[in-house]
């Protein structure tokens, strides 16, 4: 009986690990450009409220914002709208749109 319970418990734990959502990563360039630490703070403090956002990293030298998010909870368009609210437009880094 203990063996059956142990096997069932292990099966439940392995299913729980697989159920964790794989994080998506989005790298964008903002316009206007980020010039200073205040620009970075403005972006981080506002974009973190987009549902599913897990992590935000900014790079002033590279002019990029890297966002790790749950793709089941938000989309690229959600981030476009969030950046627009704070006075920025974005495009995916490395692409011309």
């Amino acid at each position: 009986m203990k063996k059956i319970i142990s096997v069932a418990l292990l099966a439940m734990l392995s299913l729980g690990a697989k159920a964790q959502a794989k994080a998506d990563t989005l790298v964008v360039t903002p316009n206007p450009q980020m010039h200073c630490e205040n620009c970075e703070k403005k972006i981080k403090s506002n974009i973190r409220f987009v549902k599913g956002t897990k992590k935000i990293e900014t790079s002033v030298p590279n002019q990029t914002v890297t966002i790790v998010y749950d793709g089941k909870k938000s989309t690229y368009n959600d981030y476009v709208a969030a950046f627009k609210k704070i006075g920025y437009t974005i495009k995916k880094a490395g692409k011309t749109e």
Side-chain angles (χ1 to χ4, degrees):
M1 183 66 159
K2 287 182 182 178
K3 195 172 190 178
I4 293 172
I5 293 173
S6 296
V7 170
L9 181 60
L10 285 173
M12 287 174 42
L13 289 174
S14 67
L15 288 175
K18 287 182 182 180
Q20 292 178 349
K22 180 183 171 196
D24 291 317
T25 302
L26 175 63
V27 181
V28 298
T29 55
N31 187 21
Q33 292 184 339
M34 296 180 289
H35 294 95
C36 61
E37 189 175 307
N38 287 332
C39 297
E40 291 179 297
K41 285 181 183 178
K42 180 179 181 180
I43 289 171
K44 286 181 178 180
S45 64
N46 287 282
I47 301 306
R48 68 187 177 101
F49 291 109
V50 175
K51 192 173 185 177
T53 301
K54 296 180 180 206
K55 183 178 177 183
I56 303 169
E57 291 180 1
T58 54
S59 172
V60 172
N62 296 329
Q63 287 300 307
T64 58
V65 179
T66 304
I67 305 165
V68 178
Y69 67 101
D70 182 346
K72 292 180 180 179
K73 294 182 180 180
S74 59
T75 65
Y76 173 73
N77 290 332
D78 294 326
Y79 289 101
V80 169
F83 273 90
K84 186 176 181 178
K85 285 182 184 178
I86 58 171
Y88 288 92
T89 59
I90 59 170
K91 68 177 182 177
K92 292 182 182 178
K95 295 183 178 183
T96 54
E97 294 184 43

